Amino acid sequence: ISGGKNKVVKLFITRKNGTFRSFELRGKLEITPKFYGLRVVNKLDLEEYVAGVLPNEMPVIYPWQALCSMAVMARTFALVNIGKHKKDGYDLCSTVHCQVYNGEGSEKPRSTSASQFTRGVYISYYGRPANLTFSSTCAGIGAGTDEAWGMRYNPLMPGGIDGPGRTPFLGDENNFRRFLQNPPDCYCAGTHRFRWKEYYTLSELTDMFSESLPK
């Protein structure tokens, strides 16, 4: 660990093969010995956190309005999910399980400007931060919270077609095939995982389904 004049801490994480990865982080580091090694927690304020999330959740070449919207979304998500990892000794993780956070070393001037421009702004619903999620790709249609996670229906995330037009009934096999092969106009159609294929043997699929279906 090394410190700098600009109150940025540099953290080096070594791998078994001798290589390492470094992070430049704002705020402070809290290091606690655990039975499996060390727990390292970056303690910083909300706006510093958002600046370290934004360039990792949206390409900085995207339009300015999109970056500002993403900054507001990242801030809202953080406010709703503070304490998500309380049992682990910190509020939020730094991976896609929460939001991807790589600290000051990943910041770019354009994304940092967007986070500063929207400072303090978040999405509210009935006076509280709105419980919303986001993703890079939806394949053209989204499921409501009640369908996806078995949660109470959330009017802010009802699901449906990702674009103009009606939501097709995908419970019909023919409709489903047509939707995959000739999707309607969708906002996320340009993403790299909009349509993809993977191949498995019958035994591999059986093993996968046997793990998830009983649940």
Side-chain angles (χ1 to χ4, degrees):
I1 303 171
S2 64
K5 294 182 180 180
N6 298 321
K7 297 182 180 179
V8 173
V9 178
K10 182 170 286 189
L11 174 68
F12 296 89
I13 299 178
T14 57
R15 304 184 180 97
K16 291 182 179 180
N17 62 4
T19 60
F20 67 88
R21 186 179 179 189
S22 65
F23 298 86
E24 294 180 1
L25 306 168
R26 299 182 186 276
K28 300 178 180 179
L29 288 185
E30 180 182 86
I31 303 175
T32 308
K34 305 293 288 185
F35 71 93
Y36 51 80
L38 297 174
R39 182 183 65 199
V40 181
V41 178
N42 185 196
K43 305 185 77 171
L44 72 170
D45 69 34
L46 177 61
E47 297 304 327
E48 292 173 328
Y49 169 76
V50 172
V53 166
L54 185 52
N56 301 292
E57 288 288 0
M58 176 173 283
V60 296
I61 62 171
Y62 275 27
W64 171 252
Q65 292 88 346
L67 286 171
C68 290
S69 297
M70 186 65 235
V72 173
M73 182 66 229
R75 189 177 294 107
T76 304
F77 184 92
L79 289 171
V80 170
N81 289 279
I82 284 179
K84 184 175 183 177
H85 285 276
K86 184 178 180 180
K87 63 180 179 61
D88 300 313
Y90 50 90
D91 286 315
L92 296 163
C93 62
S94 60
T95 70
V96 293
H97 182 250
C98 299
Q99 298 185 106
V100 180
Y101 167 76
N102 284 327
E104 194 269 349
S106 67
E107 292 180 26
K108 301 292 186 294
R110 200 160 180 267
S111 58
T112 300
S113 295
S115 64
Q116 292 174 344
F117 182 76
T118 62
R119 183 181 182 87
V121 180
Y122 62 90
I123 303 167
S124 66
Y125 185 63
Y126 282 94
R128 302 182 65 179
N131 187 6
L132 299 170
T133 61
F134 60 93
S135 64
S136 66
T137 309
C138 72
I141 196 167
T145 52
D146 51 332
E147 296 176 295
W149 298 303
M151 297 167 55
R152 185 174 62 181
Y153 175 76
N154 183 346
L156 300 178
M157 294 193 294
I161 196 76
D162 177 47
R166 289 184 169 185
T167 302
F169 175 61
L170 299 183
D172 177 81
E173 180 74 16
N174 291 326
N175 283 349
F176 184 62
R177 288 185 179 276
R178 280 195 295 269
F179 182 79
L180 291 180
Q181 296 167 1
N182 299 292
D185 290 335
C186 303
Y187 299 128
C188 70
T191 54
H192 73 290
R193 296 284 284 181
F194 182 69
R195 290 289 181 269
W196 49 272
K197 292 181 180 180
E198 291 195 24
Y199 298 90
Y200 300 95
T201 65
L202 180 59
S203 61
E204 288 173 333
L205 278 177
T206 301
D207 290 341
M208 293 166 63
F209 285 139
S210 66
E211 290 182 3
S212 59
L213 284 179
K215 299 177 183 178

